Structure formats: C-alpha cells, structure tokens
Amino acid sequence: MTKDEMFDVVIVGAGHGGAQAAIALRQAKFEGSIAMIGAEPELPYERPPLSKEYLAGDKSFDRILIRPEAFWRDRSVTTRLGERVVAVDAPARQVLTDSGERIGYRRLIWAAGGEPRRLTCDGHDLTGVHTVRTRADVDRMVGELPDVAQAVIIGGGYIGLEAAAALTKLGKKVVLIEALDRVLARVAGEPLSRFYEQEHRAHGVDVRLGIAVDCIVGTNGRVSGVRLSGAEIVPAQMVIVGIGIVPSVQPLVEAGAVGGNGVRVDAQCRTSLPDVFAIGDCALHVNDFAGGAEMRVESVQNANDQAGVVAKVIAGAEARYASVPWFWSNQYDLKLQTVGLSTGHDAVVIRGDMASRSFSVVYLRNGRVLALDCVNAVKDYVQGRKLVETGAIPPVERLADSGVPLKEL
Ligand SMILES: Cc1cc2nc3c(=O)[nH]c(=O)nc-3n(C[C@H](O)[C@H](O)[C@H](O)COP(=O)(O)OP(=O)(O)OC[C@H]3O[C@@H](n4cnc5c(N)ncnc54)[C@H](O)[C@@H]3O)c2cc1C
C-alpha cells in the first residue's frame, strides 16, 4: 500500500461493528474499495465467548472467528491488522496510522469500541491484574491459571459474573467484589440481581457487596491480594477487573466530532464530521427503546444493526437505526436472554418460579412492556419481543401467569 492510498470506505476497528459493516456493504452490492484497519493482530472475532467458552477452554480461537480469512479476500476487503489509527484529518479526508501512513477515505466508519476501564489505585499495574476485552487479555489469563488457586474479580457486571462462572468451572476459588449493594445493578432489576447473586454463592463464589477496593497488593511485582476499604486483604494470585469501558473515540473527538462519552451520531449513525459515521460501543445515539434517551449500547446486536444501517446509507438506500435491543449472558447452566432496555421502569412482574431456574422478569413503565430478562425461558424471549416492539400494555395478572403464552398478550 502506498502513502497516497485511498479507499471508498475506511473502517476503523476490526471488531463486531467493523466486520459487520464490511459484510453488510458487500451484501448491499457496494462495489467500492473497502479497508478495515484494526489495532488487534487478529482477524475479526466474536468477543462474547472471551468471558465464557473461550476462557473456560470450551472453544478454540478458530471457532470464534467472525469469518475465515478467505472471506475477506474473496470480497476484496483490505485488512490492515495490528495497526492503530491515531488521528483523523477530516478536511483532508485521511486517517493517520501509528505506522505513520496516511490513508484517504470517501466515507469513514468509526467502529473502535472501547478500552476496559482500569483501576487507578496502588497496585493496579501489578502482573496478574487483568481486564477482559481482547483475545490477548484472555490468553494471558489462561497462561497464568495453572498458578492460580484463588482469583478476585472486581465488578459484578456481566463480564465479572461470566468470568466468575468460567473460573469456578475450572476449579478456581473466586471472590467477587462489587461496590454497589447488588450485582448487575446497572443493567437489571433487583429480582434478577438477587437471583444471580444466589446462584453464584451456590456455586461457591464468595460474593461481597457494597465494598470498595482500597488497593492491590503484591510481592516482587506480582499480585498477591486485594485490600478492601475495611483493611481486610483478600489473597489472590489473579485479579480480574470488570468495571466497564471507556469508548475509544479520542482521535475522532480531537478531529472535531461532537462527543465525549462516545461520539454523538444521528439515526443514520452520522457523526458531526462530513461522511464520518460511528457505530457500536462508541456510538452515542438516541435510542427509541430508552424513551429517546441518548446512550451507548454495548452489545453485539447494537454493533451489528448500526453497521447494517451505515452500509445501507453508504450504498444509497434509506435506513434508520431503530432496532429492538437484545443481549445474552451464559453463566453455569443459566442462559439469560434479554430484550428491550429496562432503564426507567416503574414496575416489575415475575413470570414463572425463580426457584425452578426458568422464569422471566418483565419490566414495565406506565403499564407498557419495556423489557424482559428471560432465564432459561426461550419462549418468553421469542414471544416477548413483540410486546417490547409494540410497547404493549398487557393485563398484569396474565403477564404474571407463565401458563399464558406471551404471544396471547
Ligand atoms: C468479555 C466480553 C463479553 C461480552 N459478552 C457479550 C454478550 O454476551 N452479548 C453481547 O451482546 N455483547 C457482549 N459483549 C459486548 C460486545 O462484544 C460489544 O458490544 C461489541 O464487541 C461491540 O462491537 P464494536 O465493533 O463496537 O467494538 P469491538 O468489537 O470492541 O471492536 C473494536 C475494535 O477496534 C479496535 N480499535 C480501537 N481503537 C482503534 C484505533 N484507533 N485504530 C484501529 N483499531 C482500533 C479495537 O482493538 C477492537 O478490535 C461482550 C464484550 C466483552 C469484552
């Protein structure tokens, strides 16, 4: 590639959103040149298994590739991997990479995801302190596991809980520390939080709630424990930090794109810069399913569907991002599937018996169904989607009766 190389579409980020954008462009019969620049050395791969089957050793890396190498070649998608875009020159329509090259674009799709938020306390950089975002992160962890008897996980969100389940399965003792008074507090209602808390305890995880971390302690540069705010030191040979992400948008914001906590986009995923789009974890958008609130959604669904919208727009078709959000999480033998966004709910209805480990939590606002969290309840998930899409107002007694199929409501 020469310094003057120019592509019709440059995609920054070879993760879920970036890969799907290239796939969808070709599906939309876009014939222009496409380059996908990714900071990681690997071809695009699925991130969700990193805290699930890949960490547990149940799936090899080959099986989590989004597409095999030949796919990209056959569709003339130029992949530049292990290369990072460090600046965007919007007036010149060029990106600058860390190898010092300038690459021109007609359209730019920013799909750079986010970086794990890191601790800032003493000991945060000791060997043995990990985050879970990339294959390299998990490979490092797996390499250390033979010497780990006890791991401390900081953060009781999905990634922390999934990592707890995977490590428990591998026979490790796990202590999970959450600063708030319940796990999944940011994303789920209290009943679901308490259910998962109990499940993890039942599997031997020592769940500590409402506790802050003071610092990470270590010897000879390697972690040996976590000191809690009350001065107790929990011994650990491994610490996993799962406290959210910081969207990777700096080059774009420095180039003048409106944003901060992500880059602001409109319903076509356009940023405020000409012919620059942003999708996925880093795209701050108005979400129809959050009552029009501006937010970033960190899910494969969001990345893929926004990629589809941008591909259509670039290929000259009409499109608007208005997809129903959905998400999943696998822990132990529990398959959680969620549809909709529960933010702002004012009532919760439980369908089914939580003790049977197959039930759904339905979130309502003014009687309207906002979202469902379905645990081992695929039918509710499939049928409940319509209720979320249409903003249905079903009778609460029937909603609570798991004998009444949701499609009847
Ligand atoms: C461990 C884990 C488990 C998850 N589980 C689930 C799940 O069960 N279900 C679900 O729906 N979602 C899950 N997610 C979230 C989901 O993976 C993300 O929402 C999705 O990957 C977002 O896609 P993206 O394209 O925005 O970002 P990513 O997939 O993160 O891709 C961004 C890519 O851009 C690269 N990049 C960043 N900056 C630059 C730059 N300047 N130049 C070049 N490249 C750059 C990054 O290295 C990365 O490869 C999980 C995430 C993680 C980390």
Side-chain angles (χ1 to χ4, degrees):
M1 188 176 295
T2 69
K3 284 199 163 113
D4 300 315
E5 194 121 15
M6 155 97 191
F7 290 86
D8 293 306
V9 175
V10 168
I11 301 170
V12 178
H16 277 278
Q20 187 56 34
I23 294 169
L25 276 166
R26 291 303 185 221
Q27 280 170 346
K29 308 277 182 255
F30 176 78
E31 287 177 354
S33 54
I34 303 175
M36 184 162 60
I37 307 171
E40 291 178 75
E42 294 90 0
L43 286 169
Y45 59 89
E46 293 169 34
R47 235 167 266 289
L50 292 182
S51 50
K52 308 177 181 76
E53 305 92 321
Y54 188 67
L55 173 58
D58 293 336
K59 251 189 192 172
S60 64
F61 185 70
D62 288 355
R63 288 181 59 207
I64 66 171
L65 280 178
I66 289 177
R67 293 287 189 280
E69 188 169 10
F71 177 91
W72 306 107
R73 216 179 26 245
D74 293 350
R75 281 157 189 77
S76 301
V77 176
T78 302
T79 51
R80 297 188 55 144
L81 304 172
E83 201 165 354
R84 182 174 286 276
V85 168
V86 291
V88 176
D89 184 343
R93 292 178 181 248
Q94 289 177 331
V95 297
L96 179 69
T97 72
D98 55 0
S99 60
E101 284 193 49
R102 284 180 170 270
I103 301 166
Y105 62 82
R106 284 202 172 76
R107 264 69 167 259
L108 178 66
I109 304 176
W110 193 264
E115 292 280 323
R117 191 180 295 282
R118 290 171 204 280
L119 295 174
T120 51
C121 61
D122 284 353
H124 70 273
D125 51 357
L126 288 168
T127 304
V129 179
H130 299 269
T131 52
V132 193
R133 183 76 193 179
T134 64
R135 177 207 189 175
D137 291 339
V138 178
D139 285 353
R140 263 192 304 271
M141 282 169 55
V142 169
E144 291 178 16
L145 279 176
D147 298 322
V148 174
Q150 174 155 291
V152 168
I153 296 178
I154 300 175
Y158 283 123
I159 290 179
L161 293 181
E162 287 176 354
L167 292 188
T168 302
K169 187 176 169 195
L170 294 172
K172 308 298 172 189
K173 184 93 192 69
V174 176
V175 181
L176 186 130
I177 294 164
E178 165 57 54
L180 299 176
D181 64 353
R182 61 186 176 94
V183 298
L184 298 177
R186 213 167 50 89
V187 289
E190 174 130 18
L192 199 81
S193 298
R194 296 297 170 213
F195 173 79
Y196 273 98
E197 177 189 332
Q198 289 314 318
E199 282 291 329
H200 280 276
R201 288 194 201 283
H203 282 88
V205 177
D206 180 358
V207 180
R208 313 266 193 106
L209 302 172
I211 293 182
V213 167
D214 184 29
C215 66
I216 314 291
V217 293
T219 39
N220 301 326
R222 165 157 278 289
V223 67
S224 61
V226 174
R227 193 165 83 199
L228 305 178
S229 52
E232 179 193 356
I233 293 180
V234 182
Q237 299 76 48
M238 174 179 281
V239 172
I240 300 174
V241 182
I243 54 172
I245 63 163
V246 179
S248 298
V249 294
Q250 203 181 341
L252 212 50
V253 169
E254 283 172 1
V258 174
N261 174 28
V263 170
R264 183 176 286 169
V265 297
D266 66 11
Q268 281 73 42
C269 299
R270 287 181 212 279
T271 69
S272 58
L273 296 175
D275 291 318
V276 178
F277 300 81
I279 58 174
D281 284 8
C282 66
L284 185 64
H285 65 277
V286 170
N287 196 297
D288 290 356
F289 292 88
E294 200 172 53
M295 65 197 306
R296 293 185 303 98
V297 175
E298 296 169 16
S299 74
V300 170
Q301 168 278 318
N302 177 70
N304 283 349
D305 289 347
Q306 289 187 330
V309 167
V310 171
K312 280 192 188 143
V313 171
I314 291 178
E318 294 274 311
R320 179 180 185 281
Y321 183 62
S323 310
V324 183
W326 54 266
F327 189 85
W328 74 95
S329 175
N330 300 336
Q331 297 165 47
Y332 310 111
D333 57 344
L334 301 168
K335 187 172 177 61
L336 168 71
Q337 294 167 291
T338 85
V339 57
L341 297 170
S342 60
T343 335
H345 68 272
D346 57 19
V348 158
V349 172
I350 312 285
R351 264 174 77 76
D353 177 13
M354 294 178 90
S356 73
R357 303 169 87 244
S358 167
F359 64 94
S360 300
V361 182
V362 187
Y363 299 89
L364 306 169
R365 183 175 175 84
N366 297 329
R368 236 174 248 291
V369 176
L370 286 186
L372 290 94
D373 287 335
C374 308
V375 176
N376 292 340
V378 182
K379 248 192 206 153
D380 276 3
Y381 170 70
V382 173
Q383 298 181 5
R385 191 187 172 92
K386 198 90 199 155
L387 300 180
V388 174
E389 257 169 12
T390 57
I393 307 187
V396 167
E397 328 75 64
R398 301 198 74 211
L399 195 58
D401 181 352
S402 58
V404 178
L406 288 178
K407 65 179 175 195
E408 286 183 16
L409 302 177

